[in-house]
Amino acid sequence: QVQLAESGGGLVQGGGSLRLSCVASRTIFSEYDMGWYRQAPGKQRELVAAISTGGSTNYADSVKGRFTITRDNAKSAVYLQMNSLKPEDRAVYFCVADERPLQMWDQGRPLRYWGQGTQVTVSS
């Protein structure tokens, strides 16, 4: 199975920045679209950002202009640069991947591959 390992979460002051990293156990980034989901208690799971094999990106309205997703296929890695963090950004962030293209992610089954999650906490 494909293993996704996240890192970079932690505690940050409001207005600060964090960069999340996700490294795959296999070189799949040329085959799979990738993204970041987040889950906060009492809130709906949200796809924060996604990036296609070709580099096209999509962002949730709640993070647009503040977060940037990038990928490095040579390193089998995907990143989420989070700037201007707000308390409402507090959540567990999951690296995700799927064989389906981004435009199909909102259809049918859940995404195929998930990382273990990394906690992001933003203080007031």
Side-chain angles (χ1 to χ4, degrees):
Q1 61 179 6
V2 174
Q3 301 282 350
L4 303 174
E6 303 103 331
S7 62
L11 175 64
V12 65
Q13 186 178 7
S17 299
L18 286 173
R19 190 180 79 153
L20 305 184
S21 299
C22 173
V23 180
S25 61
R26 293 159 51 185
T27 305
I28 64 170
F29 287 82
S30 64
E31 305 174 33
Y32 295 88
D33 288 357
M34 306 287 297
W36 293 91
Y37 261 92
R38 67 183 180 187
Q39 179 70 64
K43 295 184 178 180
Q44 185 177 353
R45 185 181 62 199
E46 180 181 36
L47 178 62
V48 175
I51 185 166
S52 73
T53 56
S56 298
T57 58
N58 295 104
Y59 297 94
D61 288 342
S62 58
V63 307
K64 195 171 298 181
R66 300 188 297 119
F67 291 9
T68 303
I69 186 171
T70 57
R71 64 190 294 160
D72 186 338
N73 290 340
K75 297 180 179 179
S76 299
V78 62
Y79 308 97
L80 186 67
Q81 178 67 45
M82 305 186 294
N83 297 328
S84 302
L85 283 162
K86 306 174 181 179
E88 54 262 41
D89 295 318
R90 179 176 184 170
V92 177
Y93 285 72
F94 298 91
C95 181
V96 295
D98 202 281
E99 300 93 340
R100 297 172 296 170
L102 295 182
Q103 59 266 33
M104 304 295 292
W105 280 19
D106 60 350
Q107 302 180 26
R109 64 166 176 82
L111 297 175
R112 182 79 67 187
Y113 304 107
W114 293 72
Q116 82 287 348
T118 185
Q119 177 70 51
V120 172
T121 302
V122 185
S123 62
S124 300

